[in-house]
Amino acid sequence: MEYDTKTPPYHTSNKTSFAYFSARDRWPVIITQAIDDVYRATTAATDPDTVTEGKGLINALAKLKHELQHDRLLTPLPDDGYSDIVSYNKELAALENPTWFNVPWLFSECYLYRRMSTLFALSRKWKSYDIFARQKLSTFKSSRPAVVELATHYRDIVAKLGTGNNLAGEELEAAEKVLFMEMCEICLWGNATDLSLLTNLSYEDIQKLQGSSARKDAQANIVANDLNAAFAILRDAQKKDKNAERRVDIVLDNAGFELYVDLILAGYLLSSGLATTVILHPKSIPWFVSDVLPKDFQDIIQAVQDPQRLYAPTADDDDNYRNTYKPLPAKEKEDIEFLFQNWTSHVAEGRLLIRPNRFWTEGGSFWRLPTSDPSLFEDLKESELVIFKGDLNYRKLTGDAAWDPTTPFPTAIGPLGPGSGMRTLALRTCKADVVVGLPEGEDERLRNMEGGGGDSGARKWAWSGKWAVVQLCDGKA
């Protein structure tokens, strides 16, 4: 805590903040969905010990929900064998035993998921169970139109990269820049289906959030955009020495469709030569409903290997899905299967790597990275560019603090900012109050739009995921 920004953090006690809304409305729904998932798995189990433990987990989750809704004290986490428990409980004590509606939002939300994780870690039969896996798969299946569209587009891009074209010099670089920006924007708006926020998405809702027409409509809603500078960094490194190791890291956010578009971006960076290695950083435990675990990467690889099987209706699908399902046409099936061939070749060649780290599920901000995990910090400095995906990573980069919105992004990320030796690019659709790096008057303009918050004191425009920021800090400069 001593390394955090001194700017006050967002707090669940502030009734005009998204923090209060999250604690009051979102979290009970998420816990209820977790209870339902464990109930379904317990009902389907045949092993008596699994059933007994499942019933205990249901009771423990119900107890957690009761404590939350009745503003009880946050209790110390039980020791489940992982070292971060000490830091969680140390911070909890430093906060002087807060209640759910009187605690910094970032810590309490991390505590919520870490506490759920301890319930499963301390069991015998459910240790590796992901209570959110069913939701992740369901949402990815509902993304079929966008999955097909991107697979076809990606296959065409890779084919053109392989055969070359008639462009050269400035024309070639301009074309590459346009393509890079398109890939990054696809990656940015893939975050629109964050399951921790959109807890009641329908099949039709998901499709409206995805696809090329949705992305084109949203381009004007990127209120801070440093993609030009990010491209220049990677292009200059490529020009300097094409044979040198040039690495890009992606700190992942959501599984399902967003992981799919992250892999599209990773594959493009490798196929285009803008990177020679891409390292993906998933979480180690089920986190914020839809965050990527190592197994989610395996699941998506299997999905594109056999897409016909992925989309076949199952008992978990609703009537609308089953009634409208049609097998993939041969061309669409081949385009998706091409992704399997492309991605697995990168993996086999050691160019696409998965590297989880427990730091990503600690309770504090990324301001603590240099002191909390110096080896990880030194490793990330080796990267040409570290891309942080999504809203939670943005909140952690900025300390989830109530900055003035005109505060420069490099200032708001503190120890990861200027002189840190690390290049940071945040791709974030806005789903929380904190926002920095805006031009003077932009926050006021957005607040005055319909649903933007107006004079209520709430920055509601930044809650919906309709607006986005792409912000760079070159800590190597």
Side-chain angles (χ1 to χ4, degrees), residues 282-297:
K283 307 299 189 299
S284 302
I285 60 174
W287 191 249
F288 281 65
V289 182
S290 48
D291 278 31
V292 179
L293 303 178
K295 184 180 181 301
D296 294 319
F297 176 76

Side-chain angles (χ1 to χ4, degrees), residues 29 45 54 59 94 111 125 238 255 300 318 360 373 383 403 439 450 465:
V29 172
N59 289 334
Y111 167 93
K125 300 288 186 175
Q238 185 183 29
I300 207 164
D318 61 26
W360 305 121
D373 198 329
S383 184
W403 299 99
E450 183 178 357

Side-chain angles (χ1 to χ4, degrees), residues 168-246:
E170 292 182 1
E171 287 185 345
L172 176 60
E173 185 165 332
E176 290 176 339
K177 181 178 177 181
V178 169
L179 197 54
F180 169 80
M181 296 181 75
E182 180 186 11
M183 290 295 104
C184 287
E185 287 179 4
I186 288 170
C187 200
L188 168 68
W189 294 111
N191 182 245
T193 48
D194 182 342
L195 294 181
S196 72
L197 292 160
L198 302 173
T199 52
N200 296 303
L201 276 181
S202 69
Y203 178 71
E204 292 78 10
D205 291 335
I206 291 167
Q207 294 185 7
K208 289 176 183 176
L209 290 168
Q210 299 163 340
S212 59
S213 61
R215 292 192 304 275
K216 287 177 182 176
D217 291 342
Q219 282 179 346
N221 292 357
I222 304 176
V223 293
N225 195 341
D226 291 334
L227 280 179
N228 285 333
F231 174 76
I233 285 170
L234 297 181
R235 191 73 175 93
D236 289 349
Q238 185 183 29
K239 284 181 178 178
K240 186 176 180 181
D241 188 350
K242 287 188 176 182
N243 298 317
E245 168 69 13
R246 288 172 287 102

Side-chain angles (χ1 to χ4, degrees), residues 105-307:
W105 182 26
L106 179 62
F107 174 78
S108 59
E109 195 159 22
C110 292
Y111 167 93
L112 172 68
Y113 290 95
R114 189 63 183 89
R115 181 164 161 188
M116 285 195 281
S117 176
T118 65
L119 300 177
F120 293 86
L122 291 170
S123 71
R124 291 186 302 112
K125 300 288 186 175
W126 297 75
K127 282 186 182 294
S128 60
Y129 187 76
D130 180 1
I131 50 177
F132 307 123
R134 204 186 309 262
Q135 294 180 62
K136 295 175 188 176
L137 179 60
S138 174
T139 307
F140 185 59
K141 288 181 70 171
S142 298
S143 305
R144 173 173 160 173
V147 167
V148 171
E149 176 190 317
L150 288 178
T152 301
H153 188 41
Y154 180 78
R155 188 178 184 183
D156 290 343
I157 288 170
V158 172
K160 289 175 183 176
L161 289 171
T163 59
N165 52 51
N166 297 323
L167 299 179
E170 292 182 1
E171 287 185 345
L172 176 60
E173 185 165 332
E176 290 176 339
K177 181 178 177 181
V178 169
L179 197 54
F180 169 80
M181 296 181 75
E182 180 186 11
M183 290 295 104
C184 287
E185 287 179 4
I186 288 170
C187 200
L188 168 68
W189 294 111
N191 182 245
T193 48
D194 182 342
L195 294 181
S196 72
L197 292 160
L198 302 173
T199 52
N200 296 303
L201 276 181
S202 69
Y203 178 71
E204 292 78 10
D205 291 335
I206 291 167
Q207 294 185 7
K208 289 176 183 176
L209 290 168
Q210 299 163 340
S212 59
S213 61
R215 292 192 304 275
K216 287 177 182 176
D217 291 342
Q219 282 179 346
N221 292 357
I222 304 176
V223 293
N225 195 341
D226 291 334
L227 280 179
N228 285 333
F231 174 76
I233 285 170
L234 297 181
R235 191 73 175 93
D236 289 349
Q238 185 183 29
K239 284 181 178 178
K240 186 176 180 181
D241 188 350
K242 287 188 176 182
N243 298 317
E245 168 69 13
R246 288 172 287 102
R247 165 181 152 191
V248 171
D249 288 64
I250 305 177
V251 182
L252 299 169
D253 190 35
N254 298 312
F257 183 74
E258 185 176 351
L259 176 58
Y260 177 80
V261 297
D262 291 341
L263 288 167
I264 291 281
L265 175 62
Y268 164 72
L269 292 172
L270 294 170
S271 298
S272 67
L274 286 173
T276 59
T277 304
V278 174
I279 299 177
L280 304 176
H281 298 265
K283 307 299 189 299
S284 302
I285 60 174
W287 191 249
F288 281 65
V289 182
S290 48
D291 278 31
V292 179
L293 303 178
K295 184 180 181 301
D296 294 319
F297 176 76
Q298 299 166 15
D299 289 346
I300 207 164
I301 292 294
Q302 291 174 358
V304 297
Q305 181 183 18
D306 188 359

Side-chain angles (χ1 to χ4, degrees), residues 366-370 377 388 396-397 410 413-424 473-475:
F366 295 159
W367 280 54
R368 304 177 188 181
L369 175 58
F377 181 51
F388 287 87
K396 287 204 163 202
L397 282 168
I413 64 175
L416 306 188
S420 66
M422 177 175 150
R423 289 197 186 103
T424 296
C473 174
D474 186 354

